[in-house]
Amino acid sequence: MTGSDEQPSFTLAYVPGVTPGKWVRKWAERMPDVPLDLVQVSAADAADLVRGGEADMVLLRFPTDRTGLHAIPLYTETTVVVVPKDHVISAVDEVTGEDLADELVLHPLDDTLGWERPPGQPAIERPATTGDAIELVAAGVGLLVVPQSLARLHHRKDLVYRPLTDAPQSRVALSWLEEETTDLMEQFIGIVRGRTVNSTRGRPQAPPEEKRKRPAETKKPTGRPKPRGAGNSRGGRRGKPRRR
């Protein structure tokens, strides 16, 4: 977004669990005169924040409604199951959905994995948020399946998590409006994609200068052309004719 002609600014939204810090630091190095404002937004509201013009770009998770949006997938997250520290699952390296068949698995309303029903036994009510579900796991009410970054975000000493190998996965993407790709957006896209500071992609380029053509080199005449047959004569004398 541009605040005024004198002081442009850029607003980046991001969903919980996503850590844009390394890109923000790179922005500060390359664009010191353009402040970058960070806004955390819920996964459900992420796309609408950009559509409503409240942010220039957003780091969100798929699956989501992409209507009217560009999106660059960045990485895929590991899906994990969060359990109490003394749960039997804490003793293994990874689990499958079948291992959760007899467990009560919570399904919060802000779930980001896009499945209709997680494995295991459903709870009577769905927690409102992932944070609420984490509290229930800590209380021994059930287990929770989430992207690994959310498990880290809600880390507690009394909980652990293990990879769930056959669950849907969440993909993090950079998204913005289809009809609007500004120079500042191109700058941030370049940072996220690891382009160097000298990369010119996305910036208007000056027309290439025409190569100066060097005139063909010609040898200057050294004088009048010598008459035929006078190449080796001395003093201009003609050689004696051959006798037949």
Side-chain angles (χ1 to χ4, degrees):
M1 292 180 175
T2 303
S4 65
D5 293 339
E6 294 78 19
Q7 184 62 54
S9 63
F10 186 80
T11 301
L12 175 68
Y14 66 101
V15 297
V18 175
T19 53
K22 62 180 179 180
W23 299 317
V24 173
R25 288 191 294 272
K26 187 66 68 175
W27 176 277
E29 294 172 4
R30 295 190 185 181
M31 308 290 291
D33 298 329
V34 182
L36 189 152
D37 300 320
L38 283 175
V39 178
Q40 189 175 86
V41 60
S42 68
D45 297 331
D48 287 338
L49 198 74
V50 172
R51 292 192 189 100
E54 298 177 64
D56 294 287
M57 307 182 93
V58 61
L59 293 163
L60 47 67
R61 284 192 181 89
F62 290 156
T64 191
D65 179 11
R66 295 175 55 181
T67 304
L69 299 178
H70 284 300
I72 301 174
L74 301 179
Y75 57 89
T76 300
E77 296 187 282
T78 299
T79 301
V80 300
V81 55
V82 182
V83 303
K85 199 169 185 179
D86 59 355
H87 195 281
V88 63
I89 286 177
S90 66
V92 300
D93 293 331
E94 60 184 28
V95 295
T96 66
E98 186 177 352
D99 296 325
L100 305 181
D102 297 328
E103 301 284 352
L104 190 149
V105 178
L106 303 166
H107 189 196
L109 294 174
D110 64 354
D111 170 68
T112 61
L113 294 174
W115 49 13
E116 294 183 4
R117 183 179 179 276
Q121 303 299 315
I124 297 174
E125 294 183 3
R126 295 180 63 181
T129 67
T130 298
D132 293 336
I134 289 287
E135 294 296 330
L136 292 173
V137 175
V141 174
L143 311 183
L144 176 65
V145 178
V146 290
Q148 183 170 300
S149 66
L150 287 179
R152 288 175 176 169
L153 178 66
H154 296 283
H155 171 71
R156 293 175 51 124
K157 292 182 179 180
D158 54 350
L159 300 179
V160 296
Y161 57 83
R162 295 291 182 265
L164 184 60
T165 59
D166 55 355
Q169 292 180 308
S170 169
R171 289 184 299 158
V172 173
L174 177 65
S175 189
W176 69 100
L177 286 176
E178 282 184 349
E179 66 268 17
E180 183 180 9
T181 304
T182 65
D183 289 342
L184 292 180
M185 291 178 185
E186 286 288 358
Q187 287 285 355
F188 194 75
I189 292 169
I191 288 171
V192 168
R193 284 185 159 173
R195 296 180 199 152
T196 64
V197 68
N198 295 322
S199 174
T200 57
R201 183 173 177 180
R203 303 178 194 173
Q205 299 184 21
E209 295 183 2
E210 293 185 3
K211 294 182 179 179
R212 296 179 180 178
K213 297 181 179 180
R214 297 178 64 183
E217 294 182 359
T218 55
K219 294 182 179 180
K220 294 182 180 180
T222 56
R224 291 183 180 181
K226 297 179 180 180
R228 190 173 183 181
N232 296 323
S233 61
R234 295 183 180 179
R237 296 179 182 178
R238 299 181 66 181
K240 295 181 180 180
R242 291 182 178 180
R243 292 183 179 182
R244 296 181 180 179

